[in-house]
Amino acid sequence: MSSREVVVLSVGGVRFVTRASTLQQFPESRLARMVSDDDQEFKLVNGEFFVDRDGALFSYIMDFLRTLQVSLPTDFSDYQRLQREAEFYGLYPLANLLSQEHLLKPRLEILEVRFSLQEMQAFFRIFGSCSTTIEALAEQITVFTGQQSGQGWNSPFPSQKPLVPLPLERPSHHDMVFLCGTEYSAGDQFVARYVSIKPDKRKLINGTNVLGLLLDTLLKDGFRLISTRTVPSEEKAECYTFERMKRAAGLAIMVNQTPGSSGVAQARRSQVQKGK
């Protein structure tokens, strides 16, 4: 069996097909010994190894062996059962990672949008508990400025003059501020600010339209609107609060490939995240 490249396992009635080398990632594990016929508990039946364990949880075992990373669904809750399965198979590096449940659980992400209208301008402030989300939004949102003559606040089309992109105001890593609309310049000239939010290609000047596009963008990105309220202030700002479950970054194993190694190595945070 040690020279066989493809191995078939039936775990609790669920069939898995993999390479022998995948099961031998950790030479001291029972799965590695199974491939070498050194563990008699795993019976070979009709060319398949029969394992009387939980087949659904074994899919996470296989994902770990293939990627050397623990990345679980946001609704996963069977940490202790999966840890027991890892211990049964002798995958103690995986069991040790699963014991750090607080690092693997998804975190609740909160984002707040404040919106206020003042005369011909609309003001926006976006605050988020996750700075990477704010950075991503800052890449999507662009404010363009230009002068227009006598077109006023509700003009549906930007001026024919070239529009210049403006940098967003970033008071901190966790928030951003921008505005749209028009303000009086001189004579019949108005300074206009238009907002574009990728992937939408429009340049919008009306604050209500920009707000609608922004909220729709957040909903499509996996956020859920949980509350709306009016903040008591001179501006009478409308406040929209969103939340979403943010998947924790995967914990990965750096495997020592030296001969005779047990495969036990230090866990590290992976920079790759699977989904949101």
Side-chain angles (χ1 to χ4, degrees):
M1 276 296 301
S2 60
S3 62
R4 186 174 178 177
E5 183 179 2
V6 177
V7 180
V8 181
L9 302 92
S10 177
V11 184
V14 183
R15 193 169 182 266
F16 297 88
V17 181
T18 186
R19 293 179 178 272
S21 58
T22 300
L23 300 174
Q24 294 171 322
Q25 286 276 20
F26 298 88
E28 293 184 359
S29 71
R30 297 187 68 183
L31 291 171
R33 297 201 304 269
M34 176 194 73
V35 174
S36 303
D37 288 331
D38 292 336
D39 195 315
Q40 298 303 315
E41 183 170 337
F42 300 102
K43 303 298 182 182
L44 192 60
V45 180
N46 297 326
E48 300 182 4
F49 282 103
F50 173 74
V51 186
D52 190 17
R53 302 293 294 190
D54 190 306
L57 290 179
F58 190 72
S59 65
Y60 301 117
I61 300 283
M62 285 303 307
D63 182 66
F64 172 75
L65 290 174
R66 288 166 174 152
T67 66
L68 300 181
Q69 178 174 308
V70 183
S71 185
L72 302 170
T74 54
D75 59 350
F76 186 83
S77 60
D78 290 335
Y79 292 92
Q80 291 184 350
R81 289 182 59 213
L82 184 55
Q83 183 179 346
R84 286 198 301 269
E85 294 299 295
E87 291 171 350
F88 170 80
Y89 293 109
L91 295 169
Y92 297 107
L94 173 58
N96 291 337
L97 290 184
L98 290 167
S99 68
Q100 304 177 65
E101 182 178 332
H102 63 288
L103 297 178
L104 294 169
K105 281 188 173 181
R107 292 170 172 79
L108 184 64
E109 180 181 357
I110 301 296
L111 188 140
E112 181 181 276
V113 176
R114 291 196 177 191
F115 167 75
S116 63
L117 284 173
Q118 295 183 21
E119 297 181 356
M120 296 187 297
Q121 296 187 92
F123 292 80
F124 293 84
R125 178 179 183 268
I126 304 175
F127 176 86
S129 60
C130 178
S131 61
T132 56
T133 296
I134 298 299
E135 293 291 343
L137 276 174
E139 292 293 327
Q140 289 179 262
I141 299 173
T142 305
V143 177
F144 297 90
T145 185
Q147 285 194 335
Q148 57 185 30
S149 176
Q151 295 181 10
W153 161 259
N154 287 314
S155 172
F157 303 106
S159 169
Q160 296 300 314
K161 296 180 180 180
L163 297 177
V164 180
L166 291 176
L168 296 178
E169 185 179 342
R170 297 292 306 277
S172 75
H173 292 297
H174 287 271
D175 60 348
M176 69 174 74
V177 178
F178 62 92
L179 59 87
C180 66
T182 59
E183 60 180 339
Y184 179 75
S185 176
D188 63 348
Q189 296 293 313
F190 290 85
V191 174
R193 288 184 176 87
Y194 299 85
V195 174
S196 176
I197 305 177
K198 297 177 183 177
D200 194 285
K201 297 180 179 179
R202 292 173 296 171
K203 295 180 176 66
L204 303 176
I205 193 172
N206 184 287
T208 302
N209 294 340
V210 173
L211 176 65
L213 178 58
L214 175 59
L215 300 186
D216 185 58
T217 300
L218 294 174
L219 293 172
K220 289 179 179 179
D221 197 32
F223 282 96
R224 181 172 68 94
L225 181 64
I226 58 173
S227 71
T228 60
R229 69 184 192 277
T230 300
V231 179
S233 65
E234 294 181 0
E235 296 82 10
K236 294 182 180 179
E238 299 174 15
C239 181
Y240 301 82
T241 304
F242 294 82
E243 69 174 17
R244 73 173 174 187
M245 294 303 292
K246 183 178 180 62
R247 187 189 303 277
L251 283 178
I253 284 288
M254 297 296 290
V255 180
N256 188 339
Q257 300 292 351
T258 57
S261 166
S262 65
V264 178
Q266 185 177 8
R268 65 174 175 82
R269 280 285 187 183
S270 170
Q271 298 301 314
V272 179
Q273 295 186 15
K274 295 183 179 180
K276 295 178 178 174

